[in-house]
Amino acid sequence: MAIALMAVAVGATIISGMITVYREIPQQMGREFRAYGANLLILPGKDRTTLSGEDVKKINDSLNGYEIVGIAPFLYERLKINEQPILTSGTDFSMLQKVSPYWQITGSWPQAEKREILLGAEQAQRMNIKPGQTVLVSAGNDADEETFVVSGIVHTGGKEEQFAFVDLALLQKMLQKNGQLSLAQISIVADGAALESVSKMISQNYPEVQPQLVKQIAHSEETVLSKLQALVLLVTVVVLLLTLICVATTMMAVVTERRREIGLKKALGAENSNIICEFLGEGCVLGFFGGILGTGLGYLFAQVVSMNVFGRAVEFAPSIAVFSIVLSIVITGIASLIPVRIATSVEPAIVLRGE
Amino acid sequence: MSLLELKDVSMAYGGKVFALQDINMTVEKGEWLAIMGPSGSGKTTLMNIIGCMDKATSGTVVLDGIDLTDVDHQQLTTLRRDKIGMVFQQFHLIPYLTAVENIMVAQYYHSLPDKQEALAALDRVGLKDRAGHLPSQLSGGEQQRVCIARALINYPVLILADEPTGNLDEANEKLVMNIFHELHDEGHTILTVTHAPEVGREAQRAVIIEHGRIAGSEAKAE
């Protein structure tokens, strides 16, 4: 019986641990995916060419129920850098670092409101410029040239390597476009469905802007998550089956060991229903205590997995605890069916034959 | 009317191998009958049929006015529970239950467990002070007395004892046989199955079985 209890406890440990991990994966992996950039863009609405900083602030306030990693504003303009026309973006670098933590910088990020510029790797190579050197930047043919220090070179492996980046406030001032933005990138911890509903909410409540999901990121996230969840589910089902087999085998051994006792009880007048109730009852009690033990251990297991894989703790979920205890009882109940059938087939006459 | 009546009772396995053949016998209410015979003579098969644990392949068995050949498996269980008290050679006490709990098990399957009544039954066989002991803490003779108390607890019409002294030493054998004598004196109907002549001689009458047939009977000289 101790072996059966251990089998149920181990099964319940894996089940409750896996279900906790299964439930936590979307949220935890969602955070991990935020390292790959924004998953929602806010663009100007119909008949508009720019956004206002106020629009972005309102949207930010409306998302207070969600975990926002960051909102990076962008204003794009073609500037002349060392006489070369280069698409330049003004942005908030502190936010950009949160939204796009995957950017590799040689040198350092530009400091806010300083005449510092971040050059895309492709442009820096073309112009043969290294961090620390200066470049001349002008907003147009007639505009004055201003000197900027190249604080760093950015490597992303994407089209950002063809751009240059300066402080947003500085660019807005140079272009006399105070408070204006071309777009905003939002990095939000949410799965595909939640992201869709956020997008819908924004387009309904703020007609002056146009939300757009970054489909590649959202799709990749969904694909990876669904595959991970399927794997966890598969492991859980296999563990359930193994627990079922182990408990059934142990219960069969128990029935075989107690054949004489069963025969005696029948000789004393026990009906098959009495024998069924006794063994199923034992199975359910076993499932209950094994389930409680396993649920506790499963929570610890999930905690260890989460801390090691995601670096975050998981919360104890009473619903998962109840579910895994009930599931343990059901599994031991099912596992007891064949042994119970064997028990009911024991003939009372064995007690007289001395078997 | 006899308490137990067997008429032309046969038991054949596979339709060919006869364990019992044409058994005719009666047991009157209050009688003590011994069924004797060597190993393999068919004693246990006969005990199974009388004890409502098996059904004869032919013939009729009437116990307390009920024809056992007409009842189904469920009814046999009910009859076994209500009419028969069994005493086993190997005692068959449940090892993890105390003496009194072993008696209460029989009450549980019959009606309702009653500890006071179970203790009274233990007192009846002189073991009230051993009520809380496990079978492993009791001697063979004490275990058999617990087994007898369990057999009596539901007021059976027939006490079936299979080699009741087979596993006991001489002193305990005497103790157990004395209890059977007391029960008989109180009016209980007892049927003992034994291969030991000295145990068989304690009964009022003995039926001898050989090769599945009744080979003879003898009455005790008063």
PDB file of all heavy atoms in Angstrom, chain B residues 64-87:
ATOM      1  N   ASP B  64     -32.957 -25.738   7.075  1.00  0.00           N
ATOM      2  CA  ASP B  64     -33.965 -24.967   7.822  1.00  0.00           C
ATOM      3  C   ASP B  64     -35.185 -24.666   6.948  1.00  0.00           C
ATOM      4  O   ASP B  64     -35.707 -23.546   6.941  1.00  0.00           O
ATOM      5  CB  ASP B  64     -33.326 -23.656   8.315  1.00  0.00           C
ATOM      6  CG  ASP B  64     -34.065 -23.078   9.515  1.00  0.00           C
ATOM      7  OD1 ASP B  64     -34.797 -23.840  10.201  1.00  0.00           O
ATOM      8  OD2 ASP B  64     -33.907 -21.877   9.782  1.00  0.00           O
ATOM      9  N   GLY B  65     -35.578 -25.661   6.182  1.00  0.00           N
ATOM     10  CA  GLY B  65     -36.786 -25.545   5.354  1.00  0.00           C
ATOM     11  C   GLY B  65     -36.555 -24.885   4.004  1.00  0.00           C
ATOM     12  O   GLY B  65     -37.501 -24.716   3.229  1.00  0.00           O
ATOM     13  N   ILE B  66     -35.320 -24.528   3.689  1.00  0.00           N
ATOM     14  CA  ILE B  66     -35.047 -23.853   2.399  1.00  0.00           C
ATOM     15  C   ILE B  66     -34.252 -24.795   1.500  1.00  0.00           C
ATOM     16  O   ILE B  66     -33.202 -25.318   1.903  1.00  0.00           O
ATOM     17  CB  ILE B  66     -34.255 -22.550   2.609  1.00  0.00           C
ATOM     18  CG1 ILE B  66     -35.068 -21.604   3.492  1.00  0.00           C
ATOM     19  CG2 ILE B  66     -33.907 -21.877   1.284  1.00  0.00           C
ATOM     20  CD1 ILE B  66     -34.261 -20.498   4.108  1.00  0.00           C
ATOM     21  N   ASP B  67     -34.775 -25.010   0.292  1.00  0.00           N
ATOM     22  CA  ASP B  67     -34.096 -25.893  -0.660  1.00  0.00           C
ATOM     23  C   ASP B  67     -32.942 -25.125  -1.298  1.00  0.00           C
ATOM     24  O   ASP B  67     -33.157 -24.173  -2.063  1.00  0.00           O
ATOM     25  CB  ASP B  67     -35.098 -26.351  -1.728  1.00  0.00           C
ATOM     26  CG  ASP B  67     -34.493 -27.427  -2.622  1.00  0.00           C
ATOM     27  OD1 ASP B  67     -33.251 -27.621  -2.571  1.00  0.00           O
ATOM     28  OD2 ASP B  67     -35.255 -28.067  -3.357  1.00  0.00           O
ATOM     29  N   LEU B  68     -31.715 -25.518  -0.987  1.00  0.00           N
ATOM     30  CA  LEU B  68     -30.533 -24.777  -1.481  1.00  0.00           C
ATOM     31  C   LEU B  68     -30.317 -24.951  -2.979  1.00  0.00           C
ATOM     32  O   LEU B  68     -29.582 -24.166  -3.589  1.00  0.00           O
ATOM     33  CB  LEU B  68     -29.266 -25.232  -0.739  1.00  0.00           C
ATOM     34  CG  LEU B  68     -29.252 -25.063   0.782  1.00  0.00           C
ATOM     35  CD1 LEU B  68     -27.876 -25.405   1.340  1.00  0.00           C
ATOM     36  CD2 LEU B  68     -29.639 -23.660   1.189  1.00  0.00           C
ATOM     37  N   THR B  69     -30.923 -25.961  -3.563  1.00  0.00           N
ATOM     38  CA  THR B  69     -30.735 -26.164  -5.009  1.00  0.00           C
ATOM     39  C   THR B  69     -31.531 -25.144  -5.820  1.00  0.00           C
ATOM     40  O   THR B  69     -31.284 -24.952  -6.998  1.00  0.00           O
ATOM     41  CB  THR B  69     -31.149 -27.597  -5.420  1.00  0.00           C
ATOM     42  OG1 THR B  69     -32.417 -27.878  -4.832  1.00  0.00           O
ATOM     43  CG2 THR B  69     -30.129 -28.603  -4.958  1.00  0.00           C
ATOM     44  N   ASP B  70     -32.493 -24.483  -5.171  1.00  0.00           N
ATOM     45  CA  ASP B  70     -33.349 -23.531  -5.892  1.00  0.00           C
ATOM     46  C   ASP B  70     -32.874 -22.079  -5.777  1.00  0.00           C
ATOM     47  O   ASP B  70     -33.477 -21.194  -6.358  1.00  0.00           O
ATOM     48  CB  ASP B  70     -34.791 -23.597  -5.332  1.00  0.00           C
ATOM     49  CG  ASP B  70     -35.503 -24.843  -5.813  1.00  0.00           C
ATOM     50  OD1 ASP B  70     -35.010 -25.445  -6.783  1.00  0.00           O
ATOM     51  OD2 ASP B  70     -36.521 -25.213  -5.209  1.00  0.00           O
ATOM     52  N   VAL B  71     -31.845 -21.840  -4.991  1.00  0.00           N
ATOM     53  CA  VAL B  71     -31.478 -20.432  -4.734  1.00  0.00           C
ATOM     54  C   VAL B  71     -30.288 -20.002  -5.607  1.00  0.00           C
ATOM     55  O   VAL B  71     -29.500 -20.840  -6.051  1.00  0.00           O
ATOM     56  CB  VAL B  71     -31.130 -20.197  -3.240  1.00  0.00           C
ATOM     57  CG1 VAL B  71     -32.315 -20.527  -2.356  1.00  0.00           C
ATOM     58  CG2 VAL B  71     -29.903 -20.994  -2.833  1.00  0.00           C
ATOM     59  N   ASP B  72     -30.218 -18.694  -5.831  1.00  0.00           N
ATOM     60  CA  ASP B  72     -29.112 -18.185  -6.649  1.00  0.00           C
ATOM     61  C   ASP B  72     -27.906 -17.800  -5.760  1.00  0.00           C
ATOM     62  O   ASP B  72     -27.959 -17.960  -4.532  1.00  0.00           O
ATOM     63  CB  ASP B  72     -29.572 -16.987  -7.495  1.00  0.00           C
ATOM     64  CG  ASP B  72     -30.075 -15.820  -6.641  1.00  0.00           C
ATOM     65  OD1 ASP B  72     -29.753 -15.782  -5.434  1.00  0.00           O
ATOM     66  OD2 ASP B  72     -30.788 -14.957  -7.179  1.00  0.00           O
ATOM     67  N   HIS B  73     -26.877 -17.295  -6.395  1.00  0.00           N
ATOM     68  CA  HIS B  73     -25.620 -16.974  -5.708  1.00  0.00           C
ATOM     69  C   HIS B  73     -25.845 -15.972  -4.565  1.00  0.00           C
ATOM     70  O   HIS B  73     -25.321 -16.122  -3.459  1.00  0.00           O
ATOM     71  CB  HIS B  73     -24.639 -16.392  -6.736  1.00  0.00           C
ATOM     72  CG  HIS B  73     -23.262 -16.241  -6.219  1.00  0.00           C
ATOM     73  ND1 HIS B  73     -22.368 -17.283  -6.140  1.00  0.00           N
ATOM     74  CD2 HIS B  73     -22.613 -15.158  -5.713  1.00  0.00           C
ATOM     75  CE1 HIS B  73     -21.238 -16.854  -5.625  1.00  0.00           C
ATOM     76  NE2 HIS B  73     -21.360 -15.560  -5.360  1.00  0.00           N
ATOM     77  N   GLN B  74     -26.647 -14.954  -4.863  1.00  0.00           N
ATOM     78  CA  GLN B  74     -26.929 -13.894  -3.886  1.00  0.00           C
ATOM     79  C   GLN B  74     -27.661 -14.462  -2.666  1.00  0.00           C
ATOM     80  O   GLN B  74     -27.327 -14.154  -1.516  1.00  0.00           O
ATOM     81  CB  GLN B  74     -27.767 -12.816  -4.590  1.00  0.00           C
ATOM     82  CG  GLN B  74     -28.279 -11.701  -3.700  1.00  0.00           C
ATOM     83  CD  GLN B  74     -27.158 -10.833  -3.181  1.00  0.00           C
ATOM     84  OE1 GLN B  74     -26.192 -10.570  -3.885  1.00  0.00           O
ATOM     85  NE2 GLN B  74     -27.265 -10.418  -1.922  1.00  0.00           N
ATOM     86  N   GLN B  75     -28.637 -15.343  -2.952  1.00  0.00           N
ATOM     87  CA  GLN B  75     -29.410 -15.924  -1.846  1.00  0.00           C
ATOM     88  C   GLN B  75     -28.541 -16.864  -1.008  1.00  0.00           C
ATOM     89  O   GLN B  75     -28.716 -16.965   0.201  1.00  0.00           O
ATOM     90  CB  GLN B  75     -30.634 -16.668  -2.400  1.00  0.00           C
ATOM     91  CG  GLN B  75     -31.703 -15.717  -2.930  1.00  0.00           C
ATOM     92  CD  GLN B  75     -32.742 -16.433  -3.766  1.00  0.00           C
ATOM     93  OE1 GLN B  75     -32.400 -17.218  -4.656  1.00  0.00           O
ATOM     94  NE2 GLN B  75     -34.006 -16.172  -3.490  1.00  0.00           N
ATOM     95  N   LEU B  76     -27.599 -17.540  -1.700  1.00  0.00           N
ATOM     96  CA  LEU B  76     -26.674 -18.420  -0.962  1.00  0.00           C
ATOM     97  C   LEU B  76     -25.849 -17.602   0.045  1.00  0.00           C
ATOM     98  O   LEU B  76     -25.645 -18.026   1.179  1.00  0.00           O
ATOM     99  CB  LEU B  76     -25.715 -19.117  -1.930  1.00  0.00           C
ATOM    100  CG  LEU B  76     -26.089 -20.494  -2.470  1.00  0.00           C
ATOM    101  CD1 LEU B  76     -24.941 -21.039  -3.304  1.00  0.00           C
ATOM    102  CD2 LEU B  76     -26.435 -21.480  -1.380  1.00  0.00           C
ATOM    103  N   THR B  77     -25.415 -16.401  -0.415  1.00  0.00           N
ATOM    104  CA  THR B  77     -24.637 -15.522   0.470  1.00  0.00           C
ATOM    105  C   THR B  77     -25.480 -15.138   1.689  1.00  0.00           C
ATOM    106  O   THR B  77     -25.004 -15.171   2.834  1.00  0.00           O
ATOM    107  CB  THR B  77     -24.198 -14.251  -0.290  1.00  0.00           C
ATOM    108  OG1 THR B  77     -23.446 -14.642  -1.426  1.00  0.00           O
ATOM    109  CG2 THR B  77     -23.363 -13.324   0.570  1.00  0.00           C
ATOM    110  N   THR B  78     -26.725 -14.776   1.436  1.00  0.00           N
ATOM    111  CA  THR B  78     -27.614 -14.375   2.532  1.00  0.00           C
ATOM    112  C   THR B  78     -27.836 -15.537   3.503  1.00  0.00           C
ATOM    113  O   THR B  78     -27.784 -15.363   4.730  1.00  0.00           O
ATOM    114  CB  THR B  78     -28.967 -13.907   1.949  1.00  0.00           C
ATOM    115  OG1 THR B  78     -28.695 -12.939   0.941  1.00  0.00           O
ATOM    116  CG2 THR B  78     -29.856 -13.286   3.021  1.00  0.00           C
ATOM    117  N   LEU B  79     -28.043 -16.738   2.955  1.00  0.00           N
ATOM    118  CA  LEU B  79     -28.257 -17.905   3.815  1.00  0.00           C
ATOM    119  C   LEU B  79     -27.011 -18.205   4.649  1.00  0.00           C
ATOM    120  O   LEU B  79     -27.114 -18.527   5.835  1.00  0.00           O
ATOM    121  CB  LEU B  79     -28.601 -19.131   2.951  1.00  0.00           C
ATOM    122  CG  LEU B  79     -30.030 -19.170   2.403  1.00  0.00           C
ATOM    123  CD1 LEU B  79     -30.171 -20.290   1.375  1.00  0.00           C
ATOM    124  CD2 LEU B  79     -31.004 -19.403   3.551  1.00  0.00           C
ATOM    125  N   ARG B  80     -25.865 -18.109   3.987  1.00  0.00           N
ATOM    126  CA  ARG B  80     -24.596 -18.370   4.679  1.00  0.00           C
ATOM    127  C   ARG B  80     -24.427 -17.409   5.859  1.00  0.00           C
ATOM    128  O   ARG B  80     -24.013 -17.788   6.940  1.00  0.00           O
ATOM    129  CB  ARG B  80     -23.467 -18.183   3.665  1.00  0.00           C
ATOM    130  CG  ARG B  80     -22.108 -18.565   4.142  1.00  0.00           C
ATOM    131  CD  ARG B  80     -21.177 -18.730   2.957  1.00  0.00           C
ATOM    132  NE  ARG B  80     -20.865 -17.487   2.269  1.00  0.00           N
ATOM    133  CZ  ARG B  80     -21.069 -17.259   0.983  1.00  0.00           C
ATOM    134  NH1 ARG B  80     -21.602 -18.202   0.217  1.00  0.00           N
ATOM    135  NH2 ARG B  80     -20.748 -16.113   0.445  1.00  0.00           N
ATOM    136  N   ARG B  81     -24.798 -16.160   5.612  1.00  0.00           N
ATOM    137  CA  ARG B  81     -24.645 -15.127   6.634  1.00  0.00           C
ATOM    138  C   ARG B  81     -25.623 -15.323   7.795  1.00  0.00           C
ATOM    139  O   ARG B  81     -25.265 -15.138   8.957  1.00  0.00           O
ATOM    140  CB  ARG B  81     -24.912 -13.775   5.947  1.00  0.00           C
ATOM    141  CG  ARG B  81     -24.636 -12.579   6.777  1.00  0.00           C
ATOM    142  CD  ARG B  81     -24.707 -11.341   5.903  1.00  0.00           C
ATOM    143  NE  ARG B  81     -26.015 -11.210   5.270  1.00  0.00           N
ATOM    144  CZ  ARG B  81     -26.204 -10.614   4.091  1.00  0.00           C
ATOM    145  NH1 ARG B  81     -25.202 -10.122   3.418  1.00  0.00           N
ATOM    146  NH2 ARG B  81     -27.415 -10.524   3.581  1.00  0.00           N
ATOM    147  N   ASP B  82     -26.859 -15.729   7.436  1.00  0.00           N
ATOM    148  CA  ASP B  82     -27.914 -15.786   8.460  1.00  0.00           C
ATOM    149  C   ASP B  82     -27.997 -17.120   9.193  1.00  0.00           C
ATOM    150  O   ASP B  82     -28.432 -17.170  10.341  1.00  0.00           O
ATOM    151  CB  ASP B  82     -29.284 -15.499   7.818  1.00  0.00           C
ATOM    152  CG  ASP B  82     -29.366 -14.071   7.296  1.00  0.00           C
ATOM    153  OD1 ASP B  82     -28.518 -13.256   7.698  1.00  0.00           O
ATOM    154  OD2 ASP B  82     -30.256 -13.778   6.478  1.00  0.00           O
ATOM    155  N   LYS B  83     -27.624 -18.205   8.515  1.00  0.00           N
ATOM    156  CA  LYS B  83     -27.915 -19.530   9.083  1.00  0.00           C
ATOM    157  C   LYS B  83     -26.686 -20.293   9.570  1.00  0.00           C
ATOM    158  O   LYS B  83     -26.818 -21.236  10.345  1.00  0.00           O
ATOM    159  CB  LYS B  83     -28.608 -20.421   8.014  1.00  0.00           C
ATOM    160  CG  LYS B  83     -29.826 -19.793   7.362  1.00  0.00           C
ATOM    161  CD  LYS B  83     -31.073 -20.147   8.091  1.00  0.00           C
ATOM    162  CE  LYS B  83     -32.313 -19.568   7.410  1.00  0.00           C
ATOM    163  NZ  LYS B  83     -33.440 -19.495   8.363  1.00  0.00           N
ATOM    164  N   ILE B  84     -25.524 -19.920   9.061  1.00  0.00           N
ATOM    165  CA  ILE B  84     -24.336 -20.748   9.327  1.00  0.00           C
ATOM    166  C   ILE B  84     -23.316 -19.995  10.181  1.00  0.00           C
ATOM    167  O   ILE B  84     -23.053 -18.814   9.953  1.00  0.00           O
ATOM    168  CB  ILE B  84     -23.647 -21.146   7.994  1.00  0.00           C
ATOM    169  CG1 ILE B  84     -24.638 -21.735   6.987  1.00  0.00           C
ATOM    170  CG2 ILE B  84     -22.462 -22.082   8.231  1.00  0.00           C
ATOM    171  CD1 ILE B  84     -25.086 -23.143   7.264  1.00  0.00           C
ATOM    172  N   GLY B  85     -22.739 -20.704  11.123  1.00  0.00           N
ATOM    173  CA  GLY B  85     -21.597 -20.166  11.863  1.00  0.00           C
ATOM    174  C   GLY B  85     -20.413 -21.087  11.575  1.00  0.00           C
ATOM    175  O   GLY B  85     -20.533 -22.304  11.711  1.00  0.00           O
ATOM    176  N   MET B  86     -19.299 -20.514  11.120  1.00  0.00           N
ATOM    177  CA  MET B  86     -18.182 -21.369  10.681  1.00  0.00           C
ATOM    178  C   MET B  86     -16.977 -21.293  11.604  1.00  0.00           C
ATOM    179  O   MET B  86     -16.565 -20.205  12.016  1.00  0.00           O
ATOM    180  CB  MET B  86     -17.743 -20.967   9.283  1.00  0.00           C
ATOM    181  CG  MET B  86     -18.767 -21.363   8.250  1.00  0.00           C
ATOM    182  SD  MET B  86     -18.036 -21.321   6.653  1.00  0.00           S
ATOM    183  CE  MET B  86     -19.508 -21.358   5.670  1.00  0.00           C
ATOM    184  N   VAL B  87     -16.418 -22.473  11.870  1.00  0.00           N
ATOM    185  CA  VAL B  87     -15.175 -22.563  12.644  1.00  0.00           C
ATOM    186  C   VAL B  87     -14.156 -23.262  11.742  1.00  0.00           C
ATOM    187  O   VAL B  87     -14.450 -24.320  11.181  1.00  0.00           O
ATOM    188  CB  VAL B  87     -15.395 -23.382  13.937  1.00  0.00           C
ATOM    189  CG1 VAL B  87     -14.095 -23.481  14.730  1.00  0.00           C
ATOM    190  CG2 VAL B  87     -16.486 -22.735  14.795  1.00  0.00           C
TER     191      VAL B  87
END
